[in-house]
Amino acid sequence: MTNFSSYDVFFKAATGTDPWPYQKRMGCHQEYPTVLSVPTGAGKTAAVVISWLWRRLFSGDEKLRKQTPMRLIYCLPMRVLVEQTFNVIKEWIEKLDVPFNMNSCKGVIVAKLLGGDKSVYTFSADSSGGSSKSDNENLWSLYPESDAILVGTQDMLLSRALNRGYGASKYRWPKDFALLNNDCLWVMDEIQLMGSGLYTTTQLQAFRDSFGVYGGSHSLWMSATLREEWLRTVNYQTQSMHREELLDDDQKNRLLNSRMKAYKTLRKASSTLDDKNYISSLAKEVLERHCNNMKQKASERSPSESRNTIVVLNTVRRARDLYRKIKEQQGKPDCAVKPEIVLLHSQFRPDDREKALKKALDENVGQFGRIVVSTQVIEAGVDISCSLMFTEIAPWASMVQRYGRVNRWGNLDHSEIYWIGFSDEPADKDLLKIVSPYQIEQIRTSSDICKKFENKQVNPGSLNSCNQQMEVEEGFVIRKKDIVELFDTTADISGFDMDISRFIREAEDFNVHVFWREDSKTVLLKYQNDPARKELCNVPVADIKEILKKKPGTVWKKNYIEGEWQPAGANEIVPGMVLMMNCADGGYLEEIGWSKESKSPVVLPGNPIHLASMDNNASDDLSESNSWKTIQDHTTGVVNKLRYILKMLGYDSSLPEDRLIKSALWHDVGKAHPVFQKSLHNNSSPAPSSNELYAKSPSKRIRHERKGFRHELASALLALQNGAGDLIAYLAASHHGKVRLSIRALPEEDRPGDKQKRFARGVWEGDRIPEAPHSEIRVGNELKILPSDIDLVYMELGRSGKMESWTQRVLGLREEYGPFRLAFMESLIRAADERESGGLI
């Protein structure tokens, strides 16, 4: 690792520029800020990421390193911001030469988490010193002792922090829940766009402080338009927040000063939102203004941004309609100027979205310029600039962010913004239909401010006086009892999981992830493979429900227990689900994105059969092996991996290391069960020895003769029966995420012939482990288990005599350690097991 003489040298090595004073303060001061409020274009991302890297890896100040959390979680309100932020961070990591190296377990893991894409950036041992995107999207959870930067949307990150990860197998939920709440620095960017998610971030920080975590935690909220009262909720009432903002020494910087005073004039558009022909009128006005702007710039050697026009609309539907209308008007014979038209919104498949964003950001602009028609996805964080903008009226905080896309660098001598309002003051009932997804009062306040600034400058320097009029939308507030209940990942008796969508976004923003498959015989859709990342498209929940009401049976959901796709009902659709549709039913166009009215057959993005599954953790893939391994050998390897993880974490005495090691010793003892041993021998080439008890074989996805059999339940029961203790038994039971707070039989599992016998997850009362000819189970030199008969009395509710039930024991552990710390211990056992199984260091 390179040694840097100072933070200034370090910052310039990463970014190519010297740090501004506030950026340097963030890297060198002992106290890390809670609030960062600086204007758009002032380098918030660099300030956070570079300062974190310095504090964690380079400063040389041991106290600074220890008080800086191991995981930087960069939370953004929109997926288009994630793409750009992830790519910028990758560049910085490469320039500093610290990408994660799987051969040495050194460096920083950089992962992207958004619907359908969980890319991970690491050093590639196969590319002669280069670096690449890893194929292992779970790398950051496999190495919980390693520094990591996770960049994601609030949907993906907050749902995982609440133990209900959108778009992920429910068996993965506890791992993500653990690592996103322990030893973590949460950074929320552009908080004015987060809605309910903002309150969830403050409440989560309060819960971490209250329940306790391993390694500490801290939250930082950022925006160019931020008021501290937005952050105070029922459990988060910190009165003195450490605020970082621009001071006098920052204002003296020439480059920053030019951005603060960038020339941009606000004007009122002729088109109005309440016009019946609004889209046609706006398309005509945009083309005319754009063409006039091009004529003014024709004789100048102006930068490419001066030939960009951006139109920001508040809904995807209106953006699609305007895009079509401008294309239609361009196609008329009398239209001599034909600028390039780009459509940006959140309802594209990844490849099509990336293609559109690349076109929008391309600096090579043709002679007729470019018009970018966008929704709020361009509102913040996207590194794009223009000399002409049209924007529908939105809450004032959003308007300020949109203005930040105009003359972004302060290098143009002329730029204009046209705000789109109403012809007069419509009644609330009429206004409500137009202003969605925003609130009427927010729009009225914003309209009043825009009127005051008409024909005046709206740069960051001139808008400071309006900050106190900015508001964020109110939303649902998650409570302590909710987070406690969310610790349990067992579906309710009807098969449903607790819906957390109200804590993530407002109702209008609820989405599912849809992919398409081609099958002329619709019934065969049930056998389709899981989707690849590039197949998924964000789709509003309301649109899917509308489709299902009109044409039932056209949308399919995954039954993870059966491993098959099944038709979904409209009342079963909840945010975050992954759903399948038939290509023949339409619904998507590559140029337009999601289009529920389209009946054209959907074109697939390549051959899905040959693409990697979006989520390979629905089964136990991460715990599979390529060779035969005895329980003894595999367990020894897991224990060694766990000892290494604990050593590298360096949490001293805060973790119960002795009990963690014992739980690793017990975790696979249940594989001595005759059902598991028979499955291994029936699905593989012959075992090396008939006298050994095996944990692994070369087979993939073995099938058990008892449906739903879980060896880890047998491990936990044996641990309890042999006096190992509740924590050890729980960690043994939970190391695949399938047996946790309750022991419950599944409706479709096989039952013993004796109806009086208890049974659950393929384990029957009275099962003998190990059965003859094996006389014992031996694990290392520390554990020797004689044949035992399984006792399932622990699955009974309440107490059985003097014995506590399994659920009571786990509830006691949750009370003792808190949900975050208990889940973190689970994640350590799982990481050690998965790394040993996969042959990883």
Side-chain angles (χ1 to χ4, degrees), residues 100-106 109 125 136 139 141-146 629 637-638 640-645 648 830-841:
F100 184 73
N101 188 323
M102 291 179 65
N103 293 326
S104 64
C105 295
K106 300 288 179 62
I109 299 170
N136 194 335
L139 199 67
S141 62
L142 282 171
Y143 292 87
E145 77 279 22
S146 296
K629 286 185 180 178
V638 172
N640 289 338
K641 290 284 191 299
L642 182 59
R643 290 188 194 278
Y644 175 81
I645 291 172
M648 297 307 294
R830 294 184 70 171
D833 181 38
E834 290 165 1
R835 274 156 68 175
E836 172 61 22
S837 299
L840 302 175
I841 293 176

Side-chain angles (χ1 to χ4, degrees), residues 9 18 46 101 117 257 266 296 312 331 476 628 672 686 710:
V9 173
D18 294 319
N101 188 323
D117 192 343
N257 189 54
L266 183 66
Q296 292 175 11
V312 189
F476 288 96
W628 287 95
R710 296 310 311 172

Side-chain angles (χ1 to χ4, degrees), residues 263 265 267 287-303 306-309 337 367-369 387-388 412-418:
Y263 186 98
T265 306
R267 306 191 190 283
L287 275 172
E288 287 178 355
R289 298 281 186 196
H290 177 82
C291 292
N292 289 337
N293 196 42
M294 289 302 95
K295 290 175 183 176
Q296 292 175 11
K297 303 296 180 182
S299 60
E300 302 176 14
R301 296 176 56 85
S302 56
S306 67
R307 299 193 294 280
N308 274 345
T309 294
V337 179
Q367 63 171 320
F368 298 127
S387 60
L388 177 63
L412 300 179
D413 57 11
H414 180 78
S415 60
E416 291 182 315
I417 302 166
Y418 288 84

Side-chain angles (χ1 to χ4, degrees), residues 159-231:
S159 63
R160 282 161 172 72
L162 295 177
N163 212 12
R164 292 297 184 276
Y166 285 177
S169 160
K170 67 185 302 174
Y171 310 126
R172 182 185 169 85
W173 291 349
K175 287 201 300 183
D176 294 352
F177 173 73
L179 297 184
L180 293 179
N181 285 298
N182 290 272
D183 210 343
C184 56
L185 166 61
W186 273 77
V187 176
M188 278 60 65
D189 201 358
E190 310 300 356
I191 65 171
Q192 77 284 347
L193 302 177
M194 292 186 70
S196 292
L198 175 59
Y199 305 119
T200 300
T201 63
T202 58
Q203 286 291 91
L204 276 171
Q205 183 59 51
F207 299 152
R208 295 182 200 112
D209 294 339
S210 173
F211 287 120
V213 296
Y214 289 117
S217 69
H218 186 77
S219 292
L220 169 62
W221 292 273
M222 306 195 304
S223 175
T225 55
L226 191 154
R227 291 167 57 186
E228 291 180 12
E229 54 263 38
W230 295 349
L231 307 179

Side-chain angles (χ1 to χ4, degrees), residues 71-143:
R71 277 172 290 280
L72 169 60
I73 301 164
Y74 206 110
C75 180
L76 292 152
M78 299 174 185
R79 60 188 300 147
V80 69
L81 311 182
V82 174
E83 305 275 5
Q84 182 170 291
T85 304
F86 176 75
N87 291 332
V88 168
I89 293 174
K90 277 200 315 180
E91 292 179 11
W92 293 336
I93 293 292
E94 189 163 299
K95 288 178 180 177
L96 295 171
D97 194 27
V98 288
F100 184 73
N101 188 323
M102 291 179 65
N103 293 326
S104 64
C105 295
K106 300 288 179 62
V108 179
I109 299 170
V110 184
K112 174 171 55 175
L113 284 85
L114 48 81
D117 192 343
K118 306 180 189 72
S119 303
V120 180
Y121 175 72
T122 69
F123 176 89
S124 173
D126 301 324
S127 61
S128 63
S131 50
S132 69
K133 184 181 79 172
S134 168
D135 290 331
N136 194 335
E137 64 193 33
N138 302 296
L139 199 67
W140 61 275
S141 62
L142 282 171
Y143 292 87

Side-chain angles (χ1 to χ4, degrees), residues 356-458:
L357 183 59
K358 187 175 180 180
K359 285 173 63 178
L361 298 175
D362 189 354
E363 293 185 1
N364 296 315
V365 184
Q367 63 171 320
F368 298 127
R370 178 189 297 128
I371 299 174
V372 178
V373 179
S374 178
T375 60
Q376 296 94 326
V377 299
I378 209 168
E379 190 170 299
V382 179
D383 208 359
I384 189 173
S385 183
C386 66
S387 60
L388 177 63
M389 171 178 280
F390 285 81
T391 172
E392 292 183 341
I393 190 68
W396 182 244
S398 293
M399 296 296 279
V400 172
Q401 296 295 330
R402 296 177 189 186
Y403 298 164
R405 307 308 113 192
V406 182
N407 195 5
R408 184 168 171 80
W409 319 121
N411 56 338
L412 300 179
D413 57 11
H414 180 78
S415 60
E416 291 182 315
I417 302 166
Y418 288 84
W419 69 282
I420 306 165
F422 307 94
S423 56
D424 48 30
E425 288 295 327
D428 282 0
K429 62 182 180 64
D430 299 319
L431 193 61
L432 187 61
K433 300 176 184 177
I434 303 172
V435 302
S436 179
Y438 303 121
Q439 297 175 7
I440 293 174
E441 194 55 42
Q442 291 177 313
I443 297 302
R444 291 198 185 281
T445 299
S446 188
S447 295
D448 290 342
I449 299 174
C450 285
K451 290 173 184 176
K452 292 178 183 178
F453 276 90
E454 272 186 35
N455 302 314
K456 296 178 182 178
Q457 295 302 299
V458 285

Side-chain angles (χ1 to χ4, degrees), residues 55-56 61-69 215 650 652:
R55 297 164 78 98
R56 279 296 302 172
D61 185 332
E62 186 65 15
K63 181 181 178 182
L64 200 64
R65 188 191 71 79
K66 285 190 173 182
Q67 70 182 31
T68 303
D652 303 322

